[in-house]
Amino acid sequence: MKYLLPIIVFALAGCSPTSDTPPASSAAPAPPKRLAGTGLDAPPDTARVELDTAYGPIVLELDGKDAPQTTANFLHYVDTGKLDDGSFYRVIRAGKAGFAQFNSGSRTYPPIPHEPTTQTHLSHTDGVISTARYGVGTASNEFTIMVGDMSYLDAGRHATPDNLGYAAFGHVVSGMEVVKKILHAPLSQAKPAPGDGPDETLAQPVVIVRARRLP
């Protein structure tokens, strides 16, 4: 028996693959699932995005499970680089609360369906990111980050004529000090037109140097 192992090893060493050897798989990966109504890629249940701004980084966690359309839209802007060189340009101050608004400049994609907070069960509380809009179904490249309790922007709180509020879709996990710094940055000194409220435009927009999806 002591000679059996060397003989087997020799036999195996002299073998070559036969035609019965299965070929390596060449199947193409499955295409990403699409969301009905927008054609955007379905987002993961959660995704993290870093906004590298001139004031410092802001890290967001997006809720793709409860707000898939709005999350997918935001990730589309991030993944295609359209938020790079965008900016925070407007703030609303309500005592110690308020929000800072940013966009991708003139680089836009088609608008998306509205996801009201009555559907997503999210709320405009401290650190929440939302999508600005005019009428229902017009949201595209304008986004806001809350400072303090801004839940009056939820659906059913009369913040919009249609009573459907704005679409919250995630929250800040780090960098709220940056958001607060933007909220309290100097405003433009331009005189408002007759009948207009005080100017809400920042004197110097805060540039988003880069937006990227985190692993």
Side-chain angles (χ1 to χ4, degrees):
M1 293 296 294
K2 66 181 180 179
Y3 297 108
L4 183 58
L5 183 58
I7 293 172
I8 293 173
V9 171
F10 176 80
L12 291 174
C15 289
S16 59
T18 67
S19 59
D20 295 331
T21 304
S25 174
S26 58
K33 183 180 176 182
R34 296 281 182 165
L35 289 174
T38 62
L40 296 172
D41 291 346
D45 285 353
T46 60
R48 288 199 173 192
V49 167
E50 181 180 71
L51 304 179
D52 182 13
T53 79
Y55 280 13
I58 302 167
V59 177
L60 306 163
E61 184 169 281
L62 312 181
D63 189 342
K65 181 178 180 181
D66 296 313
Q69 300 277 10
T70 320
T71 296
N73 177 62
F74 188 78
L75 289 175
H76 194 200
Y77 280 94
V78 171
D79 293 341
T80 57
K82 280 188 164 45
L83 276 178
D84 296 355
D85 297 322
S87 66
F88 286 84
Y89 69 94
R90 176 179 181 247
V91 297
I92 294 292
R93 299 169 183 167
K96 293 183 179 180
F99 63 76
Q101 185 166 342
F102 65 99
N103 67 19
S104 63
S106 60
R107 297 161 295 175
T108 65
Y109 288 119
I112 58 170
H114 181 54
E115 292 177 315
T117 55
T118 47
Q119 174 183 315
T120 63
H121 305 294
L122 303 176
S123 182
H124 291 81
T125 52
D126 188 47
V128 162
I129 182 171
S130 184
T131 298
R133 67 175 177 90
Y134 293 106
V136 170
T138 63
S140 57
N141 72 327
E142 296 279 349
F143 309 98
T144 55
I145 299 178
M146 309 300 119
V147 176
D149 184 359
M150 299 292 285
S151 56
Y152 81 92
L153 299 174
D154 293 350
R157 298 289 298 274
H158 311 295
T160 58
D162 50 47
N163 208 29
L164 291 176
Y166 298 91
F169 65 100
H171 64 280
V172 174
V173 293
S174 69
M176 273 305 293
E177 70 282 358
V178 175
V179 180
K180 291 176 181 177
K181 185 177 179 181
I182 294 170
L183 182 68
H184 296 291
L187 295 176
S188 167
Q189 297 302 307
K191 279 190 174 183
D196 286 353
D199 199 348
E200 302 161 347
T201 305
L202 293 178
Q204 183 65 47
V206 179
V207 174
I208 299 170
V209 180
R210 182 189 179 198
R212 66 187 180 103
R213 198 190 301 215
L214 297 177

